[in-house]
Amino acid sequence: MTWQPTPAEVAEEEAFRRLYGEWDALDPAGTAAFMAGYPGEWWVVGGWAIEAFTGVTRRHEDIDLVIWARDLPLLRAHVGDRHHIWSAGGGAIRPVDDDFPEPHDQAGQVWLRDHASAPWFLDCILSEDRDGLWMSRRDEAHVVPLADVTWVADDGIRYMRPEVVLHHKARLDRPKDTVDLEVAWPLLDTAAQAWLRDAVRRERADHPWLAGPMAE
């Protein structure tokens, strides 16, 4: 599906790259190859998760891989000396290495690249858990087994369920998020549609999605 970033989004992306460096993100197949042999759980969220569910292709700027925050040492061991890992968030980045084995205080993710002159290729979100259960960043009361909010596609990759992805995207409400809603909404079953409509309404009763594709 055709989607083009707005001039403001292009300018924001260019400023981001000037500050932090270039990106050349993996696709799902490349991510699966990179994570082969990783002993922990991982899953894909964001636009790629919507595409896996709908089969409708669109332009992607990156890929969002998720691991448990508690499993960062497993990722470090998996990566070894092949790549550099940096914790990112709150406008700051810092290496994750023997000197700084933990992410910095405002970091909710880590970025990977080969070396200082190479582009970043993977954004890995660090998901907190509650007694081993998945916790929503959008609704602290939404705490469930990971299997309840993910599914495994024919490519063997575990993806976040589309209604959960769209709940996250609703707060951002960018043009690409509306495109993802429009292609995914008709394919959701009645229960998933009702859950998403209720979740969005609880956050913002006047959200434009409620009067658009999600209108009752």
Side-chain angles (χ1 to χ4, degrees):
M1 175 166 287
T2 300
W3 163 77
Q4 293 296 330
T6 66
E9 288 173 326
V10 171
E12 181 181 4
E13 179 66 17
E14 290 176 348
F16 179 92
R17 289 173 182 261
R18 284 198 303 271
L19 184 61
Y20 295 110
E22 291 297 316
W23 275 85
D24 185 14
L26 298 174
D27 61 10
T31 299
F34 177 78
M35 295 299 287
Y38 174 73
E41 293 177 304
W42 62 273
W43 58 101
V44 172
V45 301
W48 280 111
I50 297 297
E51 182 167 319
F53 174 72
T54 64
V56 178
T57 60
R58 71 158 171 83
R59 178 179 178 271
H60 296 276
E61 298 165 310
D62 58 11
I63 189 167
D64 296 313
L65 168 74
V66 187
I67 66 169
W68 298 114
R70 64 175 187 258
D71 287 344
L72 182 56
L74 295 182
L75 183 67
R76 288 190 63 199
H78 179 70
V79 170
D81 295 330
R82 295 177 295 156
H83 312 285
H84 294 165
I85 304 176
W86 290 67
S87 57
I93 60 174
R94 186 179 74 183
V96 177
D97 54 22
D98 290 341
D99 292 327
F100 300 103
E102 299 296 329
H104 68 75
D105 290 343
Q106 298 184 64
Q109 61 216 68
V110 294
W111 299 346
L112 280 74
R113 65 182 178 184
D114 292 347
H115 50 74
S117 300
W120 305 99
F121 65 86
L122 190 62
D123 179 2
C124 182
I125 299 168
L126 304 175
S127 179
E128 299 292 343
D129 70 282
R130 184 181 300 170
D131 298 325
L133 300 177
W134 175 85
M135 298 170 51
S136 172
R137 291 186 174 185
R138 288 289 178 259
D139 180 0
E140 62 181 15
H142 192 191
V143 180
V144 295
L146 180 64
D148 288 3
V149 290
T150 59
W151 63 290
V152 179
D154 291 342
D155 59 10
I157 297 173
R158 181 173 295 277
Y159 293 93
M160 183 67 69
R161 290 189 57 82
E163 65 270 22
V164 183
V165 174
L166 291 168
H167 183 209
H168 178 87
K169 284 174 165 285
R171 181 172 296 184
L172 302 172
D173 193 19
R174 301 160 298 189
K176 65 180 178 181
D177 301 320
T178 302
V179 167
D180 286 342
L181 172 67
E182 289 172 347
V183 298
W185 180 258
L187 303 178
L188 296 176
D189 61 31
T190 302
Q193 287 184 346
W195 179 89
L196 178 59
R197 187 184 289 114
D198 182 61
V200 172
R201 183 180 289 121
R202 286 199 308 272
E203 282 197 25
R204 182 182 167 188
D206 64 344
H207 196 291
W209 286 6
L210 295 171
M214 294 168 55
E216 296 182 86

